[in-house]
Amino acid sequence: AIRARKGSGITLATLAFRSPKKQAPSSSYRRYGRNDDGGAIRYDLVAASSTSDLDAVADDLGVREEVRDLQRVRIDQLTVSYGDASESVTLYVFPDGVDASRYVGLDDASGAEVALDDSGCAITKSAEQVLGFGAGDIVHVQDPTLAESNVEVNGVVTNYLGNSMYMSESAYERCFAKQCEQNGLLADLNGDSAAQIDFADGLTGDERLLSVTSTAKLVRDFSSAFTLINTVVYVVIVLAAALSFTVVF
């Protein structure tokens, strides 16, 4: 009887492992205006270019029927340090006065929205778990030009799928003591997921764009990965049940 309970424990542990993983893609990717629950990612596409090409790229995309809305941002790759730990984090800088929550989820664990003021930043839960800081702490940041500074964490937003930091333009300029030059676009697109993926794929040939990422494609790829994980978990469950049966009888 004791051995049978051990086998059951394996099965229950496997079920517990499976549950949160299965929910991750749908809960993290919900676009603004299309789901009342919001989500970590609310734009349909992000494109990065050089600052010199951004105006032309924005003009070209702005007249496309596939594009519903465009928001200019600055995108950078930072090294964020806290204590002895450091991590690469993607920075998104929004112009002052823009409602950033239209494009990214800024809710903390309590459901309160983290404000992007003129001095601090919001940073994702995944980065917090790696580095060990908390809301109100000061983290050290270094940009690709090796400019360094310290910035206060206004809040930790609920996002486990990537290391991201969000700032207002004023906070960025105060932090790095230089003008914020926009080099990226967040886009809200028309059409279904397949149409949005096709549109994003069609942009990859534009030499002015350094990177293009489709949210719909990320959802599809994550869903495929989690389907594979679920399949493996089901196999483990069956094997655990078979082991329990064998031990008992």
Side-chain angles (χ1 to χ4, degrees):
I2 294 175
R3 291 179 179 177
R5 284 196 295 270
K6 286 184 179 178
S8 300
I10 295 173
T11 304
L12 290 173
T14 306
L15 286 169
F17 165 79
R18 173 182 170 273
S19 179
K21 294 291 185 181
K22 185 175 181 180
Q23 296 171 4
S26 60
S27 63
S28 297
Y29 294 102
R30 289 177 182 146
R31 292 181 290 282
Y32 178 85
R34 303 186 187 185
N35 192 304
D36 293 337
D37 295 332
I41 306 298
R42 301 177 183 179
Y43 53 80
D44 296 315
L45 178 141
V46 56
S49 73
S50 65
T51 55
S52 59
D53 286 331
L54 186 65
D55 285 342
V57 171
D59 288 344
D60 290 347
L61 292 184
V63 298
R64 296 285 297 270
E65 63 180 11
E66 297 93 340
V67 178
R68 180 184 304 174
D69 175 67
L70 285 175
Q71 175 58 56
R72 298 180 185 223
V73 294
R74 177 167 184 83
I75 304 172
D76 251 338
Q77 202 67 27
L78 304 182
T79 299
V80 177
S81 304
Y82 183 74
D84 295 329
S86 63
E87 188 74 7
S88 179
V89 173
T90 303
L91 171 67
Y92 298 87
V93 182
F94 290 87
D96 294 344
V98 168
D99 181 10
S101 65
R102 283 198 59 195
Y103 304 96
V104 294
L106 293 175
D107 293 344
D108 62 17
S110 70
E113 185 175 306
V114 179
L116 300 185
D117 61 18
D118 61 356
S119 61
C121 71
I123 195 165
T124 54
K125 185 71 175 179
S126 54
E128 178 226 32
Q129 290 182 325
V130 172
L131 297 176
F133 59 80
D137 287 334
I138 305 295
V139 295
H140 182 77
V141 292
Q142 182 182 72
D143 74 4
T145 68
L146 303 184
E148 299 182 63
S149 187
N150 297 312
V151 62
E152 182 177 354
V153 178
N154 288 347
V156 178
V157 300
T158 307
N159 181 350
Y160 296 89
L161 295 180
N163 296 329
S164 299
M165 176 183 287
Y166 308 110
M167 278 185 179
S168 68
E169 191 172 284
S170 293
Y172 174 89
E173 292 179 348
R174 176 174 292 188
C175 178
F176 290 104
K178 60 183 177 181
Q179 183 178 0
C180 179
E181 297 182 334
Q182 297 165 346
N183 64 350
L185 295 167
L186 305 181
D188 186 17
L189 302 179
N190 295 310
D192 60 14
S193 295
Q196 292 177 11
I197 292 172
D198 288 343
F199 177 71
D201 288 344
L203 296 178
T204 57
D206 191 331
E207 296 182 353
R208 300 170 301 178
L209 295 177
L210 305 178
S211 66
V212 179
T213 303
S214 164
T215 300
K217 190 170 184 178
L218 289 177
V219 172
R220 184 192 68 185
D221 293 346
F222 268 107
S223 296
S224 298
F226 282 113
T227 297
L228 177 60
I229 291 173
N230 287 337
T231 301
V232 173
V233 169
Y234 282 128
V235 172
V236 173
I237 291 172
V238 172
L239 292 176
L243 177 61
S244 299
F245 181 85
T246 301
V247 170
V248 172
F249 295 99

